[in-house]
Amino acid sequence: MDMPDNTYERLLEETRTKRCIVFGCGKYFEEFALRYPAIIGKVDFILDNGRGRDKYVYNGLSIPIIKPEEIKKFRDMKYIIVFCAVRWREMKNQLDEIIGCDYSHFHYPIDVDYRRNKELGISHRIILPTVRILREHSMVMKALEFTGTKSEGELIERLKRKEIHALPRLVVVLTPKCTMRCKECNNLMPVFLKKASGGGHNDLEVERIMASLRNIIESLDFISCVELIGGEPFVARNLGKVLGFLLEQEKVLTVEITTNGTIIPQEEILGQLKNSKVAVHISDYGSVMDQSKFLECMRQNAIQFKTLELQGRWVSTGGIEARNRDGEELVRQYYRCSSGYLCKTLWEDKIYPCARAASLAELGIMQDCPNISGLDKEGLRERLYSFYVVPSCGVCDYCDMSTENPVYVEPAVQMEMQ
């Protein structure tokens, strides 16, 4: 039967009376196994069209892998199918033809209401992303040394027991000024530009940024990554001061700077970028602009960098008007969005759910946008953790990024500003 609610609670309930089968054993299944440990032990076998191996070994479990056609052998049993792939609908159509009858099904990601399961929220939004980012930046050993922990597994257990407190990632806005005018800008930089003619938006106040960062860092054992963004961060005059401060912080293990590659950094900044814990991320704008000079500058100065591949398309976040979605849809949408754990954003002294939220609030478009103060030290760690695991976010009513059927658009189409 078709599942009206693709929820963790419903799946857990159904596994009490039915056998669980997963279709797909690629990246999505690996994420499924990490995120839902209470379910993975209930998986009887995996269906896979490629079937390059006969079993999947995970955390001491050995799960058989069979071809989809072989499910006919189990026609008489009661089972649930969990689809673990981006193109899960096509896989379901394939399976429908094979099975020829109704069956319970779910698809990854399974929706979780953190109001009912806060511990799972902490695991999904803080612990697993923290470890994943440490791996991505080859900082696992650094984190182990810093916390006096013997292994990655022990680190995870200590995070679960709240003996160690960490955040996966914090985004810091330096300026709303940008060198590009992208029509589909997620962070609404062209809207700031329009307002600039009436007084303008300058670089953000560096002392408030640094005071907030100092409080946040002091409240934690470490932060896997702090990302500096704009607008365009290399036009921000406060970049050198904020970056220099972060490089001095032992508890900040990696600093990312996300750029459009239009500005060659000044010599002083280039010196800072050579630090081993800095990673420059270059947004890929395709044929819209020539980034060759910037890339050559990074190579000549032996600076760590990578280009963020967009595969020739962006997901449209849509307009800035409210959509009037109901509360349950906001829960589902926020759960699907990586902003819940990767994009908490500091705008001077306020921490917002994401960069788009910060822009909506600072432009006065969204009233009462949720945020917490970075200047209020009292109970800051607890407030940060709670902020990372809230079940829904009103900002999702102003964004189409994580809707069930997102709209894809041509990347970096430039606007003519009046």
Side-chain angles (χ1 to χ4, degrees):
M1 67 178 179
D2 192 23
M3 275 299 175
D5 51 347
N6 187 57
T7 65
Y8 174 78
E9 291 78 13
R10 180 87 176 253
L11 175 56
L12 203 59
E13 179 66 27
E14 292 230 356
T15 57
R16 292 175 182 169
T17 58
K18 298 175 183 177
R19 298 171 72 179
C20 186
I21 302 169
V22 169
F23 195 162
C25 63
K27 178 183 176 183
Y28 267 29
F29 176 69
E30 292 174 2
E31 292 181 5
F32 174 82
L34 279 171
R35 292 172 72 86
Y36 315 110
I39 302 294
I40 194 63
K42 300 175 182 290
V43 176
D44 277 12
F45 54 88
I46 302 168
L47 308 178
D48 187 62
N49 283 310
R51 198 185 174 188
R53 49 190 165 168
D54 293 326
K55 61 183 177 181
Y56 186 94
V57 178
Y58 172 80
N59 202 22
L61 295 173
S62 181
I63 307 172
I65 300 174
I66 65 174
K67 292 181 178 179
E69 295 79 9
E70 295 181 65
I71 198 174
K72 292 177 181 178
K73 296 185 293 187
F74 308 97
R75 188 181 297 275
D76 294 332
M77 80 178 197
K78 293 182 178 179
Y79 49 71
I80 309 155
I81 307 293
V82 180
F83 295 95
C84 287
V86 175
R87 303 172 72 174
W88 71 269
R89 290 183 179 84
E90 295 176 24
M91 294 162 68
K92 183 179 182 304
N93 290 338
Q94 176 191 355
L95 203 59
D96 288 348
E97 292 185 10
I98 294 170
I99 295 177
C101 63
D102 289 338
Y103 55 92
S104 294
H105 74 273
F106 296 79
H107 60 88
Y108 179 82
I110 311 297
D111 296 332
V112 179
D113 187 341
Y114 296 142
R115 292 170 295 188
R116 302 179 189 177
N117 200 324
K118 187 174 181 180
E119 289 306 308
L120 202 58
I122 290 173
S123 177
H124 288 181
R125 294 269 178 84
I126 295 176
I127 298 173
L128 294 177
T130 293
V131 174
R132 190 175 77 190
I133 291 171
L134 289 176
R135 290 174 185 163
E136 179 184 334
H137 290 287
S138 302
M139 284 290 176
V140 173
M141 291 306 298
K142 178 72 174 177
L144 298 183
E145 287 175 24
F146 195 73
T147 57
T149 306
K150 295 178 182 178
S151 67
E152 182 181 301
E154 183 184 340
L155 177 63
I156 292 171
E157 289 305 312
R158 293 185 69 190
L159 285 164
K160 286 179 180 177
R161 293 195 300 265
K162 300 183 178 65
E163 296 173 3
I164 294 174
H165 295 85
L167 290 182
R169 200 157 176 269
L170 179 69
V171 178
V172 179
V173 182
L174 298 177
T175 180
K177 294 185 291 188
C178 192
T179 55
M180 299 188 75
R181 310 288 179 260
C182 300
K183 180 181 178 183
E184 293 284 348
C185 178
N186 175 68
N187 298 349
L188 308 175
M189 294 303 110
V191 184
F192 281 101
L193 183 66
K194 284 183 179 180
K195 293 204 171 217
S197 59
H201 285 268
N202 298 314
D203 295 343
L204 305 192
E205 190 176 317
V206 69
E207 296 304 327
R208 289 166 73 184
I209 293 173
M210 288 172 57
S212 298
L213 283 172
R214 189 174 291 108
N215 288 342
I216 294 166
I217 293 165
E218 287 177 359
S219 72
L220 300 162
D221 291 293
F222 69 88
I223 303 176
S224 293
C225 177
V226 173
E227 180 190 15
L228 302 180
I229 66 168
E232 169 48 47
F234 288 120
V235 303
R237 287 174 291 182
N238 55 24
L239 171 59
K241 197 165 185 180
V242 175
L243 179 55
F245 169 77
L246 290 171
L247 294 179
E248 293 173 354
Q249 307 304 307
E250 284 188 303
K251 291 183 180 181
V252 176
L253 302 187
T254 302
V255 180
E256 293 177 0
I257 302 177
T258 301
T259 175
N260 59 28
T262 57
I263 302 292
I264 303 298
Q266 297 175 354
E267 286 300 319
E268 179 186 352
I269 300 297
L270 285 173
Q272 292 176 315
L273 297 181
K274 293 176 184 179
N275 190 293
S276 61
K277 75 177 188 180
V278 175
V280 177
H281 287 183
I282 306 162
S283 299
D284 181 4
Y285 291 91
S287 60
V288 171
M289 58 171 297
D290 181 7
Q291 296 172 320
S292 59
K293 290 183 180 179
F294 186 90
L295 294 172
E296 184 59 26
C297 176
M298 295 297 102
R299 293 187 189 101
Q300 286 182 355
N301 287 278
I303 293 167
Q304 294 184 80
F305 74 92
K306 74 175 182 179
T307 298
L308 304 175
E309 300 293 341
L310 301 174
Q311 298 181 328
R313 63 182 188 176
W314 283 359
V315 176
S316 175
T317 49
I320 58 176
E321 71 285 346
R323 279 59 156 174
N324 299 314
R325 295 174 176 133
D326 63 34
E328 292 306 308
E329 175 55 30
L330 293 179
V331 169
R332 287 191 293 271
Q333 191 165 328
Y334 191 49
Y335 176 75
R336 296 185 200 114
C337 186
S338 61
S339 292
Y341 51 91
L342 292 181
C343 303
K344 291 290 179 288
T345 299
L346 179 67
W347 184 291
E348 291 187 337
D349 60 331
K350 295 186 182 71
I351 304 163
Y352 289 102
C354 62
R356 185 174 179 86
S359 294
L360 287 165
E362 297 298 328
L363 287 164
I365 296 166
M366 182 182 181
Q367 304 299 320
D368 300 320
C369 183
N371 67 85
I372 60 174
S373 170
L375 296 181
D376 183 3
K377 297 176 68 173
E378 185 69 28
L380 181 56
R381 184 177 69 199
E382 290 74 18
R383 287 185 290 116
L384 280 165
Y385 264 48
S386 295
F387 198 55
Y388 270 69
V389 300
V390 292
S392 67
C393 178
V395 177
C396 297
D397 200 36
Y398 295 79
C399 179
D400 299 333
M401 177 70 73
S402 296
T403 53
E404 183 71 24
N405 298 296
V407 175
Y408 294 97
V409 295
E410 183 181 348
V413 173
Q414 297 299 291
M415 300 170 60
E416 289 186 14
M417 304 306 293
Q418 306 253 331

